[in-house]
Amino acid sequence: MTTTEPRPATDDPRPAPVVRTTAGAVRGRTEEGLAVYRGIPFAAPPVGEARFMAPRPAHAWDGVRDAYAFGPPPPQDLGNLGGPGLIDVPEGDEWLTVNVWTPEPDRGARRPVMVWIYGGAYKLGHAGSPGYDARHLAADGDVVVVSLNYRVGMEGFAFIEGAPANRGLLDQVAALEWVRDNIEAFGGDPGQVTVFGESAGAGSIASLLAMPRAAGLFRRVVAQSVPGTFFSDALARDIGAALAAEVGLRPTVADLATIPPRELTSAGESLSGKMAGYTDRWGQAAPTVTPFSPVVDGEVLPVTPWQALAAGAAKDVDLLVGHNRDEYRLFVAMAGQLGQISEERATAALRLFAPGPDGERAYRTAFPDASPGELFERVQTDWLFGMPSLHLAEAQRAGGGRAHVYELTWPAPGNGGALGACHGLDIPLLFGTYGADLGALLFAGTEPSAEAEALSSRFRSSWTAFARTGDPGWPAYEETERLVQVLDAEPAVRAYPEETSRRLWEGHDFSALPLL
């Protein structure tokens, strides 16, 4: 799929059966043997009096609503939505919508349900992006797939006085409540819900595991490349004040509501370019160039996911978690800095991100032959995604639950393989959308090889098997053998490959980032 417009069915142009939801009836389309429903509201538009508030119930409608087109993306920098063919992005304020791909909208089918939460640094994202087309996943796995929009950036995650924290996470809870109340009519089993997501989507899922409001809404989770960035309340307040100052206002509902939602995105865009200058106040958060993350506010998100899981908060939820070997290389490449990292920059990164008072020396000793660029990448891959993902599995184990772990080591074929197994590569492999969004860069417009197709099929079969049974096809992680699924041209189950990094981070506490 190369556009946000619904792709006409080539084999069956008939409308899909009408399905009645709690707010009204919807009619989808039959596409390649699936019934597809797009743009169904799960909450009311968060504008006017509802702006910056927790999501409110969707407005009911009479008659049958055509569910043919994706709902509009939440306010964000639309230039960053990117990707070949992403055109005609719908407009409007009905951002909070879900989309459903189902083999059969039959109440008696009761198929496993997989709910996708997109990433995008908590400031970007749209469930209608072509890279998230779920047709292959739904058809190959015989599952019902749901995707959802949630508020990002200023609307969803900025600290604003008079507004609840983590509004984007509250949107996700509302969408999962919609799934609980409606998915049976689409052929899904509300008792067999798996939430899956990547990057900020995985960070959102880790948050949901720790949120009392989300308890009981899902049975399993798949967290792909969990970011370790969670803000303390003090840090979120300070960043919130800086965001509001970018538009000359105070961080209050009354002040910020004077600027239309799609114009207020300028605050985050402007501050992102200046964040590196705030290292003395914001520490490790500053170089991430995203002023948005879940906030450990003590209410919506009481503690970090690692604390919550270690205390047993999700011991009854099956967890599949993992990361890619070369996560941070994508960001180096997108900055045009591959092969250009100086010794000075590597030293600064090691001093800022390596754990412990002697982290720089420990890394240099552990990786004695690494170049400055390799050290720069390694420590940030470990800090931002690798070790947070592994530690989530270890916290789940400590709390009495089970976790399965994977690592993707297959290199992206684009750019002669220079990007390695970088951040985001798992998305086109999972969805089979090689030419869309980030996949266009990682596969460089080439036809996927038989090797890529086989690995893509392996992703879908493992993920859907996990959604159906809680077993992706390899042993659960434990602290003696540390067996994980290594996803490569020849997938294999073996001891966790990043043992050197694991030892460097052993015992590290991924706590909420402080205000310095």
Side-chain angles (χ1 to χ4, degrees), residues 17 24 44 56 70 72 84 104 109 119 126 167 170 172 185 243 282 284 301 341 413 417 479 487 510:
R56 300 178 180 183
F70 292 112
E104 183 183 18
H126 177 215
R167 298 172 296 281
L170 294 176
Q172 296 166 17
L243 285 163
W282 301 343
Q284 294 172 327
L301 184 58
I341 301 299
E479 284 74 18
L487 292 163
F510 281 97

Side-chain angles (χ1 to χ4, degrees), residues 55 170 187 210 226 234 236 239 297 353 355 362 372 382 393-394 494:
L170 294 176
V226 180
I239 294 177
D297 67 316
F353 297 113
D382 290 345
E394 293 181 342
R494 59 188 179 93

Side-chain angles (χ1 to χ4, degrees), residues 170-370:
L170 294 176
D171 292 345
Q172 296 166 17
V173 171
L176 288 168
E177 290 172 339
W178 183 94
V179 169
R180 177 195 63 199
D181 297 340
N182 293 280
I183 206 62
E184 189 174 357
F186 292 87
D189 181 352
Q192 284 270 81
V193 174
T194 297
V195 188
F196 69 123
E198 182 266 354
S199 195
S204 295
I205 289 168
S207 301
L208 292 171
L209 289 169
M211 289 171 58
R213 299 183 196 204
L217 293 175
F218 47 86
R219 183 171 179 179
R220 302 184 176 101
V221 304
V222 183
Q224 304 169 208
S225 303
V226 180
T229 48
F230 285 74
F231 291 168
S232 65
D233 188 66
L235 178 61
R237 287 172 181 269
D238 203 63
I239 294 177
L243 285 163
E246 289 295 320
V247 289
L249 298 173
R250 297 172 302 161
T252 66
V253 167
D255 273 27
L256 295 176
T258 63
I259 300 182
R262 297 199 185 279
E263 295 179 20
L264 188 56
T265 59
S266 66
E269 295 159 17
S270 176
L271 184 61
S272 290
K274 304 174 182 177
M275 285 183 67
Y278 284 84
T279 304
D280 60 334
R281 289 184 64 79
W282 301 343
Q284 294 172 327
T288 65
V289 301
T290 175
F292 308 107
S293 276
V295 182
V296 181
D297 67 316
E299 182 180 348
V300 175
L301 184 58
V303 296
T304 68
W306 299 272
Q307 288 175 285
L309 266 61
K315 64 182 179 181
D316 296 324
V317 177
D318 297 327
L319 171 64
L320 170 57
V321 60
H323 63 87
N324 305 345
R325 181 185 59 202
D326 310 305
E327 296 271 9
Y328 202 75
R329 191 171 304 171
L330 175 70
F331 307 105
V332 178
M334 292 180 75
Q337 296 174 349
L338 276 180
Q340 300 178 28
I341 301 299
S342 65
E343 181 66 43
E344 181 182 19
R345 290 193 65 196
T347 297
L350 289 168
R351 289 176 179 173
L352 184 60
F353 297 113
D358 201 17
E360 180 194 356
R361 186 194 62 78
Y363 256 83
R364 292 187 183 279
T365 300
F367 299 99
D369 300 323

Side-chain angles (χ1 to χ4, degrees), residues 424-474:
L425 176 59
D426 45 314
I427 296 175
L429 288 172
L430 175 61
F431 286 98
T433 50
Y434 312 103
D437 302 343
L438 193 57
L441 169 67
L442 302 181
F443 287 83
T446 61
E447 285 296 315
S449 63
E451 187 175 282
E453 292 279 20
L455 184 56
S456 179
S457 179
R458 179 63 175 264
F459 260 95
R460 288 191 292 279
S461 63
S462 296
W463 267 228
T464 55
F466 179 76
R468 181 168 279 104
T469 67
D471 182 358
W474 64 86

Side-chain angles (χ1 to χ4, degrees), residues 61-86:
W61 60 86
D62 297 323
V64 179
R65 176 183 176 124
D66 288 339
Y68 298 161
F70 292 112
Q76 58 193 280
D77 178 3
L78 291 182
N80 285 321
L81 272 173
L86 189 57

